Amino acid sequence: MTKGLSSRDLLDFSFISDPQISPDGKRALFVKRTVLNDERYRSNLYRINLVTGELSPFTHGDASDTQPRWSPDGKSIVFVSDRSGKRQLWRIAADGGEAREVTSFKHGASQPVWSPDGKKIIVTAPLREEEGLEKAGESKEESTLKPFITTSMQYKSDAEGFSDGTYRQLVLLDLETGTETVLTSGPYDHGLPAFSPDGSTVAYCANRSANHERTFFSDVHELDLETLKAEVLTSGNLRLRLPNYSPDGETLSVLGDDMAYAGSTLTRVWTLDRKTRELTCLTEDWDVECSDVAINDMGTGTAGGAVWSKDGQSLYVAASDRGATNLYRITLEREITTIIDGKRQVYGYSMDSAQDNILFAVSQYDIPGDLFILDSSGEKRLSWENEDALKEIELSVPQEFPIQTEDGTVLQGWIMKPVGSNETSHPLVVEIHGGPHAMYSYGFMHEFQVLASKGYGVLYTNPRGSHGYGQTFVDAVRGRYGGIDYEDIMTTLDQALETFDWIDPDRLGVTGGSYGGFMTNWIVGQTDRFKAAATQRSISNWISFFGVSDIGYYFTEWEHKTTILEDPDELWRISPLRYVKNVNTPLLILHSENDLRCPVEQAEQLYIALKQLKKETRFVRFPESNHELSRSGKPGLRLIRLDEITDWFDQYLR
C-alpha cells in the first residue's frame, strides 16, 4: 500500500533557514533545526563547501545556535546561542574550534551586524530605561509574587508575552578594546541597523514619536559613531524598515509603505537621498508585495531588505506574486528583472562580495526546505536535507486551477488528491489561511500532505484579502469580512465540485487558523454544506477581541474600519458568535492557552455557547503554546493538533 506523509513524520524533518554565503563565495553557513524530542527543537549551524559540495556540522550540542554572520574578511563568524542560558553573541573562527562568548547581557543579545572593517559589531539588546548593560547574574530578580502593572497599550505581544519593561536598543561592541556602547535609548524599539560603507555612521528605523502606541509610522534615523548624535532622515509619514547603504554611501534603500490601506498596504522599495532627504518609491508602478508573505508550516523565513548591487545602480529584493516568492532586481530607473524564478517560495538568500553567487533557500510542494545556488553556470541544488524522511513517501501533487467569480475576478486555487486511494469518490477538506493579508503558495505544507495521506482531498485558494494579486485585491476585504471573502471561498468550492468528479459533495470539511479560524466559524454559521469543521486559534467575537488581543485596539479599526467605541453593532454583526444558533456542523475547537493574538477566551465563548445549545463540539486547549503552535510549537503538541484534526474529520466524513 502506498504510504503518505503522517503527522509523526514531522519529527524526522530538518528545517533549513538563514543561508549565509562567505564573502569569497567558496563556503556557506546555514541553520539546521531538528526535533530533539517531543518537547523541543535543536538548532545548529552547518557549513557547506561550495567548491566540493561537502556538507558538515559546524556547531554541536543541544543548544539553539542561530543567526550566523561572516566577518568581512571571512575569517571569523559570530552567531547567537542560548548555550549559556540567555541568547548571547558568540564568536568562532571560520575554520572551527571553540566558540567564545562575546556578550553576557542580563537580557541577552541578538541580530549581529559587522562593521565594514570587521572591528566592531552592533547587536540588538533588550534594556529597561533605568538600567545599563548589566551582566547576566549580576543582579538577582526578586522572587516575591507581584502584580503586573502597566500604563501602556502595547503591554503584551504574542511572541514575547507580557512586557518585562525592556525595549530593543542598539549596542556597539568594539572587538579590539572590548568596550560596549549603548547607541539608543528611551521607551522605543529600534530596528535592525546598517553600517555606512566607511563605518562612520549607522542607519536604523524606529517609531520614536510621542504617540508611538497609536501611530505606526517608523522613521529612518542615522547616528554618527564619533559624536553619538542621531538625526531623523524622514518625516514620520511612512512605515519604514531594514535600511541599507548604497556602495558610495550617499543613498539608503528601505522597505516600507505609507499605510494608505492600513495593514493591507503593499510593501514597496524606496531609496532615500541622505543629503536632500528625498524619498523615491522604485516600485510605485509595480503592483506586487515586496516581501515574502508565503505561508508554510515549516517555520522558515528571514528578512533581508533591499540589497544594493555592487555598482549602486539597482537593488535586489524578494517579492511575492501569484503564489510564488522569488528574487528580483530593480534598477534606479524602475526596470524590474526576475533573477530567481519558479513556482516555489524563496524564503532566504545571501550573496558573496562580488555578487557572482547567490545562495538561496527554497520551499516547494516536494521540498520542505533546501539550499540552491545561482552562479555563472546557472542554478544548482546543494542540499537534500529531508531526502531520507521522504524517500518512502508518496506526496500528493497540488494541481493549480483558476476560479472565475461572478464579477470577473480570477482567483488562484490548488487541489490535492488523496494519496494512494483507488476509490472513485473522496471526502474533501477546504483549508483557509490566516492573515487575511497573507498568501497560500507553492511552498511545502506538511498539514496538507497529512490530510491527503489520510484519504482527503485538500482544496485551498487565495480569496480577496490575500497578498499576491495587487493592492486592490488585498484591500478588497477590509470592511467586508464575511462578505466577498466568504463568497470567494464558496465559489472556489463550487467550481472544484464542477471540475473534479472525484469529490464527494456530501463529505465536505473545512478548517483554518487565525483569520482562517474566523472564516471557519463564519462559514458554519451561514451554511450547512460542511459535515465537519475544525476551527483553530480563531476569532468568534470582534467586540471582545478589541480589548483582549495584543493587536485588537488597532486591528479592528484597520480591518473593519470601525471600533467598539464607534460602532459596536457593526462588530457584532460580523462576529460568528452572533450566528451560533445557526451552527449545525460538528465543530472542533483548537486553541493555545498562551495565544495573545487571538486569546483563548475567543474559543471559550464559542464553545460554551455551542454546549449551551447542545451542539456537537469538542474543545482542545494546548498548554504553553501561543499563536504559532502549528508552525513552531512544541513538536509533541503539533502532532496532537494534527491527529485531533484528522480524527475529527474521520469521525464525520468517512
Side-chain angles (χ1 to χ4, degrees):
M1 181 177 178
T2 302
K3 179 185 176 184
L5 202 61
S6 73
S7 58
R8 291 202 65 82
D9 287 328
L10 178 74
L11 304 180
D12 299 324
F13 279 131
S14 296
F15 309 88
I16 306 304
S17 64
D18 207 357
Q20 296 292 320
I21 196 168
S22 64
D24 63 6
K26 297 180 180 179
R27 299 161 293 171
L29 292 169
F30 62 93
V31 177
K32 179 178 177 178
R33 186 177 64 152
T34 55
V35 178
L36 187 61
N37 52 53
D38 281 7
E39 293 301 315
R40 57 174 295 214
Y41 304 93
R42 170 176 53 201
S43 294
N44 293 124
L45 306 185
Y46 276 67
R47 59 184 167 186
I48 184 167
N49 186 312
L50 298 178
V51 178
T52 66
E54 180 184 3
L55 192 152
S56 60
F58 188 65
T59 64
H60 305 267
D62 294 341
S64 175
D65 299 334
T66 60
Q67 300 177 21
R69 298 295 181 265
W70 295 87
S71 62
D73 62 7
K75 296 180 180 180
S76 184
I77 293 156
V78 292
F79 62 98
V80 174
S81 178
D82 63 0
R83 57 183 64 189
S84 63
K86 290 281 186 182
R87 297 200 327 148
Q88 304 285 359
L89 188 69
W90 292 71
R91 187 178 183 183
I92 189 172
D95 294 330
E98 289 295 323
R100 178 177 62 86
E101 192 173 27
V102 179
T103 65
S104 55
F105 300 156
K106 180 179 178 180
H107 306 291
S110 63
Q111 298 181 327
V113 178
W114 285 91
S115 65
D117 61 7
K119 296 179 180 180
K120 299 180 179 67
I121 294 174
I122 289 180
V123 295
T124 301
L127 294 173
R128 294 192 178 102
E129 285 191 78
E130 70 276 5
E131 69 182 1
L133 286 173
E134 297 180 26
K135 302 300 181 182
E138 280 187 352
S139 60
K140 295 182 179 180
E141 296 286 349
E142 295 184 20
S143 58
T144 305
L145 191 63
K146 291 185 176 182
F148 177 84
I149 302 172
T150 186
T151 58
S152 170
M153 294 183 75
Q154 297 176 347
Y155 67 89
K156 61 183 179 181
S157 77
D158 184 68
E160 300 173 1
F162 286 91
S163 172
D164 61 359
T166 64
Y167 295 89
R168 292 190 293 273
Q169 309 295 354
L170 305 181
V171 180
L172 180 70
L173 311 175
D174 191 313
L175 300 178
E176 293 185 331
T177 66
T179 57
E180 301 164 344
T181 306
V182 181
L183 301 177
T184 58
S185 62
Y188 315 103
D189 290 320
H190 300 83
L192 192 67
F195 278 97
S196 62
D198 63 4
S200 64
T201 60
V202 171
Y204 56 90
C205 291
N207 180 358
R208 294 178 60 92
S209 68
N211 199 23
H212 65 276
E213 289 191 321
R214 292 178 174 83
T215 61
F216 297 87
F217 296 122
S218 181
D219 282 309
V220 178
H221 299 249
E222 189 172 54
L223 184 140
D224 187 302
L225 291 177
E226 183 176 349
T227 65
L228 298 185
K229 292 183 177 180
E231 58 180 337
V232 185
L233 303 186
T234 53
S235 55
N237 59 354
L238 295 171
R239 182 170 54 171
L240 302 173
R241 66 184 189 275
L242 298 172
N244 284 310
Y245 282 90
S246 61
D248 62 10
E250 295 182 1
T251 310
L252 286 161
S253 70
V254 67
L255 298 183
D257 64 80
D258 59 6
M259 294 190 68
Y261 303 91
S264 71
T265 312
L266 294 185
T267 300
R268 301 193 183 276
V269 178
W270 306 71
T271 58
L272 172 62
D273 188 299
R274 293 175 60 214
K275 292 181 180 179
T276 66
R277 311 290 174 87
E278 180 182 359
L279 271 163
T280 302
C281 183
L282 298 183
T283 59
E284 185 177 9
D285 299 323
W286 193 36
D287 204 15
V288 170
E289 166 68 18
C290 293
S291 69
D292 177 16
V293 291
I295 292 174
N296 72 54
D297 53 8
M298 293 291 100
T300 55
T302 51
V307 178
W308 288 89
S309 63
K310 61 182 180 180
D311 64 5
Q313 297 304 302
S314 59
L315 292 154
Y316 295 91
V317 67
S320 300
D321 188 27
R322 298 199 59 77
T325 300
N326 282 304
L327 186 66
Y328 300 84
R329 183 173 58 229
I330 304 165
T331 70
L332 298 183
E333 287 74 36
R334 308 186 187 191
E335 297 176 354
I336 298 169
T337 305
T338 304
I339 303 300
I340 297 174
D341 199 4
K343 291 186 174 183
R344 56 192 177 180
Q345 177 194 9
V346 174
Y347 62 86
Y349 74 96
S350 64
M351 302 179 182
D352 59 16
S353 297
Q355 296 185 336
D356 293 329
N357 304 289
I358 304 176
L359 179 71
F360 58 101
V362 164
S363 172
Q364 60 188 50
Y365 91 89
D366 58 348
I367 300 178
D370 267 309
L371 297 180
F372 289 69
I373 193 166
L374 179 66
D375 57 23
S376 58
S377 63
E379 181 181 305
K380 179 172 63 176
R381 186 172 178 177
L382 298 175
S383 70
W384 287 262
E385 282 297 330
N386 294 291
E387 185 177 30
D388 288 342
L390 294 175
K391 65 181 179 182
E392 302 295 333
I393 302 294
E394 179 181 341
L395 297 176
S396 178
V397 181
Q399 179 181 344
E400 186 178 350
F401 76 103
I403 302 100
Q404 188 80 37
T405 65
E406 286 188 5
D407 65 5
T409 301
V410 178
L411 308 177
Q412 184 180 27
W414 294 265
I415 194 163
M416 296 165 58
K417 289 192 70 173
V419 172
S421 175
N422 295 320
E423 298 178 16
T424 58
S425 179
H426 302 278
L428 179 79
V429 174
V430 177
E431 288 269 4
I432 307 171
H433 69 62
H437 311 310
M439 180 182 77
Y440 273 145
S441 75
Y442 297 101
F444 183 88
M445 287 293 290
H446 175 247
E447 178 178 325
F448 295 1
Q449 293 292 347
V450 169
L451 284 167
S453 76
K454 289 280 190 175
Y456 296 99
V458 181
L459 176 67
Y460 54 107
T461 187
N462 287 319
R464 269 169 281 200
S466 305
H467 269 306
Y469 311 91
Q471 184 63 80
T472 300
F473 191 98
V474 71
D475 188 57
V477 75
R478 286 201 311 129
R480 302 173 71 182
Y481 275 39
I484 196 169
D485 45 358
Y486 169 69
E487 294 168 7
D488 283 353
I489 292 167
M490 299 309 289
T491 297
T492 298
L493 175 60
D494 290 339
Q495 293 190 20
L497 289 168
E498 293 174 4
T499 306
F500 305 102
D501 58 10
W502 54 263
I503 302 173
D504 185 343
D506 295 322
R507 291 189 291 162
L508 303 177
V510 61
T511 186
S514 194
Y515 163 82
F518 155 78
M519 184 51 65
T520 299
N521 296 340
W522 182 265
I523 285 172
V524 297
Q526 306 296 316
T527 178
D528 294 338
R529 291 185 67 181
F530 295 93
K531 295 300 181 284
T535 184
Q536 309 170 51
R537 57 191 185 278
S538 74
I539 299 161
S540 65
N541 184 347
W542 288 109
I543 291 178
S544 62
F545 179 85
F546 172 84
V548 298
S549 169
D550 62 343
I551 63 173
Y553 73 94
Y554 62 84
F555 189 85
T556 51
E557 183 175 5
W558 285 6
E559 293 299 304
H560 305 313
K561 301 183 179 181
T562 191
T563 72
I564 187 176
L565 306 177
E566 298 167 346
D567 192 352
D569 290 341
E570 171 61 12
L571 294 184
W572 183 237
R573 184 191 69 81
I574 56 173
S575 292
L577 191 63
R578 176 180 176 177
Y579 306 95
V580 69
K581 289 183 178 180
N582 299 339
V583 176
N584 296 309
T585 305
L587 183 62
L588 173 67
I589 302 172
L590 305 174
H591 221 105
S592 295
E593 296 280 2
N594 298 340
D595 190 334
L596 297 181
R597 184 59 42 85
C598 298
V600 70
E601 61 88 29
Q602 293 285 311
E604 291 172 328
Q605 293 183 67
L606 182 60
Y607 174 71
I608 292 300
L610 289 168
K611 293 298 289 185
Q612 182 76 3
L613 294 166
K614 298 181 180 181
K615 307 283 187 175
E616 292 183 71
T617 185
R618 175 180 172 89
F619 191 10
V620 184
R621 301 172 66 129
F622 294 90
E624 300 179 20
S625 304
N626 67 2
H627 200 63
E628 296 299 307
L629 169 66
S630 65
R631 294 178 281 265
S632 59
K634 291 185 176 182
L637 294 181
R638 291 177 68 178
L639 301 189
I640 293 172
R641 170 188 163 272
L642 288 168
D643 290 343
E644 284 284 346
I645 293 171
T646 55
D647 288 350
W648 186 257
F649 286 137
D650 284 350
Q651 182 177 349
Y652 293 99
L653 302 185
R654 290 299 184 188

